[in-house]
Amino acid sequence: MRTVIKVGTSTLAHEGGHLNIRRIETLCKVVSDLKNAGNEIILVSSGAIGMGVGKLSLKGRPSDMPTKQAAAAVGQCELMYTYDKLFSEYRHTVAQILLTGDDLNHADRRENFENTLSRLLELDAIPIINENDTIGTQEIIIGDNDTLAAIVAVSCKADRLVILSDINGLCTADPHKDPNATLIPVVEEITPEVIALAGGSGSDLGTGGMATKLRAAQITTAEGTDMVIVNGSDPYILYDLFDGASVGTCFRGRKTL
Ligand code: GLU
């Protein structure tokens, strides 16, 4: 089974932007094990800007483009260094791919990306993809990694996209604000009522939130690919998911032949 796993900044970093070591160590261990069990896994990882903020001791996510891009340049190194180090412990090889929206809209470049991705999987590497934040300008950015992960999942014909988030899934109300919010386990169709349940961006350092996740679900489900949102605070949840348990919220792929 081919799975794209998207990891958000809120899963990888503490609030100030410093790496959540226990979380990323557990994640790399579980992903390595799932790969050892025969699964093909592609990671789409955020965290470059967040980790750059931490490493440069900036006060929160920068609002101006040059500082944001400088933070991404610093943080992307830290991110890949950490992944490389942790996956190497389990004898897995990582490969970095950085993309802009322009790369995906340009037929030749997109084909090169898809060819490289499939060769990396044949070579048994773990591709780790992020937006190329250091050169992205407003015109060419994808803007958020939920959308990027959905495009990647569709491009590589993944069986499903798994989004690790700081919430349990789509709920009947915002669980950060409403204690009576309950989890919706399966969404068969993304109706206007479902869209109305999405709020704005969830964390200070990331750009996501439920709105971008629903947009991602629209992209994957239209191509027949399932998308599942689960809480990444304990990466062991991936074992349950891969064992077929119902965790988080699954948006069912709807492609009709
Ligand atoms: N590409 C950004 C980063 O690595 C994150 C984008 C997002 O959180 O959606 O920091």
Side-chain angles (χ1 to χ4, degrees):
M1 178 176 258
R2 180 173 294 182
T3 305
V4 174
I5 300 176
K6 184 260 174 178
V7 196
T9 304
S10 62
T11 300
L12 288 175
H14 292 289
E15 265 177 35
H18 287 295
L19 190 66
N20 186 326
I21 295 171
R22 181 168 49 179
R23 193 77 63 68
I24 196 166
E25 280 190 355
T26 313
L27 176 71
C28 292
K29 182 171 155 183
V30 172
V31 168
S32 295
D33 202 16
L34 292 171
K35 226 180 122 44
N36 288 351
N39 297 288
E40 279 184 330
I41 295 182
I42 296 160
L43 285 182
V44 172
S45 180
S46 304
I49 298 174
M51 262 167 229
V53 166
K55 202 153 189 200
L56 293 167
S57 303
L58 304 176
K59 289 185 189 64
R61 189 182 168 91
S63 50
D64 67 294
M65 197 57 115
T67 315
K68 212 189 291 183
Q69 296 188 318
V74 170
Q76 183 66 28
C77 291
E78 169 102 335
L79 194 59
M80 287 311 295
Y81 165 74
T82 309
Y83 277 128
D84 193 13
K85 177 170 166 283
L86 295 174
F87 278 119
S88 294
E89 285 181 18
Y90 301 103
R91 302 205 165 279
H92 286 293
T93 302
V94 296
Q96 171 184 265
I97 302 180
L98 298 176
L99 296 169
T100 64
D102 221 19
D103 297 325
L104 296 168
N105 293 331
H106 193 288
D108 288 353
R109 287 195 232 164
R110 186 165 175 147
E111 198 185 326
N112 284 341
F113 157 62
E114 290 174 1
N115 291 342
T116 305
L117 193 58
S118 71
R119 182 52 51 88
L120 285 168
L121 293 172
E122 283 163 18
L123 292 168
D124 212 22
I126 302 176
I128 303 182
I129 303 173
N130 195 1
E131 180 149 19
N132 194 348
D133 296 307
T134 56
I135 58 160
T137 57
Q138 208 53 45
E139 297 76 48
I140 62 165
I141 56 168
I142 302 158
D144 70 88
N145 276 3
D146 295 324
T147 307
L148 173 62
I151 297 170
V152 168
V154 167
S155 290
C156 71
K157 300 188 174 40
D159 297 290
R160 67 179 164 197
L161 166 62
V162 177
I163 298 212
L164 295 181
S165 181
D166 60 350
I167 46 161
N168 294 337
L170 181 69
C171 294
T172 51
D174 183 346
H176 294 298
K177 295 180 190 145
D178 184 346
N180 295 321
T182 56
L183 182 72
I184 303 172
V186 178
V187 174
E188 296 286 352
E189 193 180 352
I190 302 168
T191 58
E193 290 75 27
V194 170
I195 292 170
L197 292 174
S201 177
S203 81
D204 183 35
L205 293 171
T207 55
M210 194 47 81
T212 57
K213 287 173 185 51
L214 284 190
R215 218 164 36 233
Q218 283 171 321
I219 295 170
T220 57
T221 56
E223 294 297 322
T225 306
D226 286 355
M227 186 187 105
V228 190
I229 302 174
V230 294
N231 196 325
S233 62
D234 180 4
Y236 275 95
I237 199 168
L238 289 170
Y239 281 127
D240 299 335
L241 187 68
F242 277 70
D243 284 344
S246 168
V247 283
T249 300
C250 176
F251 297 81
R252 289 229 200 278
R254 294 175 55 78
K255 194 169 190 178
T256 44
L257 297 172

